[in-house]
Amino acid sequence: MSTAGKVIKCKAAVLWETHKPFSIEDIEVAPPKAHEVRIKMVATGVCRSDDHVVSGSMVSPFPVVVGHEGAGIVESVGEGVTSVKPGDKVIPLFSPQCGKCRVCKHPENNLCIKNDLIKPRGTLLDGTCRFTCRGKPIHNFLGTSTFSQYTVVDEIAVAKIDGASPLEKVCLIGCGFTTGYGSAVKVAKVTPGSSCAVFGLGGVGLSVVIGCKTAGASRIIAVDINKDKFAKAKELGATECINPLDYNKPIEEVLQEMTDGGVDFSFEVIGRLDTMNSALVSCHAACGVSVIVGVPPNAKNLSVNPMLLLLGRTWKGAIFGGYKSKDEVPRLVTDFMAEKFPLEPLITHVLPFEEINEGFDLLRTGKS
């Protein structure tokens, strides 16, 4: 029996307020309006950015269904939708691509002005939500809200992918893998034979390592205070792994000594102000490039000596690895299917949806 045009009742992990666990709730998901798509979610990753909403370091209206790294199957579409149809496998895009704004038309940049990152509305583009729980409207998160069995997204925030792709793996292309991999190959533009330092070895950091290896870097130095992460980093391409706690000097000095004045490329994949500064200083003063990948705490500023940049360093950042989402996500899925890069090593646990809080515990304790 078709559910198109009808309200769907399903389960979702609702966050009612900060510093509280997710609550598995029965919710109602309204049908898609014009230029919207309703998706049956099949798999979703647990990302640190979602945890930033829990902790309050990332701003979001409450109550909210978070989650932004997922994959699913189109259940129904609203009027005027042409890029996907019911039955298509898709990935929701927290970084949309309208194709018409100044940024979408820019050949290099990708942060579409219709994003919900900079000033979070907690709604779809028309200013309303599609979720209801206990009679109350529930906010969307980054236009995706993948922690629900069904979600509604704007057409500019969904990409059709290879119908043979395994959704429980390619869901990582919805955020973590693409953010890290693209930061190396597209944002930093890592060069063959170069040296790299990657600060933070979570899923995104490991994806940076994969990107550096793919780009042909000869030295990839992985930096983390959790030694349990080192084996996986080396499996994916790190040539050396170092723990800042093993040294009685700043880690940037250690890296400078190891690499004749600093690495060619450094990546901060944690979201801490102190490590952003360390990553910057650890790249070479005259020719180094440092990329901010981790999401920094909201409303916090970093004080930097401008001489660090005057001498020739480049300091940059990007959302979603610099990729134009609607164009590039299908290509990345195709590349994965062609075995151009692995995703399986990034998946440490597979849990039923009802155990989402246990998943976040694994994230917070560094066990995933």
Side-chain angles (χ1 to χ4, degrees):
M1 187 172 139
S2 173
T3 50
K6 301 174 183 175
V7 171
I8 289 179
K9 295 183 178 181
C10 67
K11 299 286 186 184
V14 177
L15 203 56
W16 292 99
E17 55 185 305
T18 57
H19 304 291
K20 292 292 174 67
F22 292 93
S23 177
I24 302 296
E25 302 276 3
D26 292 310
I27 69 164
E28 294 84 45
V29 183
K33 296 183 181 180
H35 305 291
E36 294 176 358
V37 179
R38 188 160 61 182
I39 304 167
K40 180 180 181 180
M41 296 307 304
V42 173
T44 183
V46 169
C47 182
R48 180 68 74 175
S49 299
D50 300 311
D51 196 40
H52 287 332
V53 179
V54 179
S55 68
S57 64
M58 187 172 179
V59 173
S60 171
F62 284 86
V64 62
V65 173
V66 297
H68 62 286
E69 181 183 81
I73 298 169
V74 175
E75 173 269 338
S76 61
V77 299
E79 181 184 349
V81 171
T82 59
S83 63
V84 297
K85 65 184 184 303
D88 285 345
K89 287 186 176 182
V90 293
I91 289 179
L93 309 170
F94 76 88
S95 178
Q97 184 184 349
C98 74
K100 300 175 182 177
C101 71
R102 172 183 177 181
V103 181
C104 283
K105 290 180 178 178
H106 192 286
E108 291 295 321
N109 297 331
N110 71 323
L111 187 59
C112 175
I113 64 168
K114 294 190 176 179
N115 75 85
D116 200 28
L117 273 164
I118 299 173
K119 294 181 179 178
R121 304 176 300 272
T123 66
L124 298 184
L125 287 175
D126 75 344
T128 63
C129 308
R130 300 292 166 272
F131 299 131
T132 308
C133 180
R134 304 182 197 172
K136 298 178 181 178
I138 306 295
H139 289 93
N140 293 79
F141 178 63
L142 302 183
T144 51
S145 295
T146 61
F147 291 171
S148 174
Q149 291 175 328
Y150 286 84
T151 190
V152 178
V153 302
D154 291 292
E155 186 181 11
I156 65 170
V158 65
K160 179 182 176 180
I161 60 172
D162 187 334
S165 59
L167 298 180
E168 74 281 3
K169 297 177 184 177
V170 299
C171 64
L172 300 182
I173 291 174
C175 179
F177 172 78
T178 306
T179 297
Y181 184 79
S183 293
V185 303
K186 189 169 179 64
V187 181
K189 294 181 169 64
V190 169
T191 51
S194 61
S195 58
C196 303
V198 181
F199 287 70
L201 300 176
V204 182
L206 292 172
S207 299
V208 174
V209 171
I210 294 171
C212 292
K213 180 182 179 182
T214 300
S218 60
R219 285 186 83 180
I220 304 171
I221 306 169
V223 183
D224 203 297
I225 59 172
N226 183 350
K227 289 184 177 180
D228 293 342
K229 306 271 190 180
F230 291 172
K232 183 65 67 76
K234 287 187 174 179
E235 175 191 336
L236 292 172
T239 55
E240 299 143 88
C241 297
I242 59 176
N243 183 341
L245 301 180
D246 290 342
Y247 301 89
N248 57 8
K249 63 176 73 173
I251 195 64
E252 54 267 34
E253 291 183 19
V254 174
L255 286 162
Q256 287 171 351
E257 292 169 4
M258 290 174 65
T259 57
D260 189 25
V263 294
D264 297 304
F265 301 95
S266 66
F267 303 86
E268 200 281 352
V269 205
I270 303 167
R272 290 175 56 101
L273 301 186
D274 55 348
T275 44
M276 288 176 184
N277 187 73
S278 294
L280 176 65
V281 179
S282 71
C283 75
H284 196 281
C287 57
V289 175
S290 187
V291 181
I292 293 175
V293 187
V295 178
N298 180 54
K300 292 287 193 299
N301 293 320
L302 183 58
S303 179
V304 173
N305 183 342
M307 280 298 291
L308 293 175
L309 303 177
L310 181 66
L311 299 177
R313 280 186 182 91
T314 301
W315 202 16
K316 60 200 304 189
I319 294 297
F320 201 51
Y323 286 112
K324 293 184 184 291
S325 58
K326 214 165 164 68
D327 291 343
E328 298 293 344
V329 160
R331 292 175 195 164
L332 287 167
V333 171
T334 299
D335 285 349
F336 166 71
M337 297 294 284
E339 300 183 353
K340 292 185 179 180
F341 54 77
L343 291 174
E344 293 87 352
L346 302 176
I347 301 169
T348 56
H349 300 78
V350 178
L351 300 172
F353 181 46
E354 291 75 18
E355 293 180 20
I356 188 168
N357 286 303
E358 287 82 349
F360 275 86
D361 289 340
L362 290 165
L363 173 75
R364 292 165 189 146
T365 55
K367 294 177 182 175
S368 66

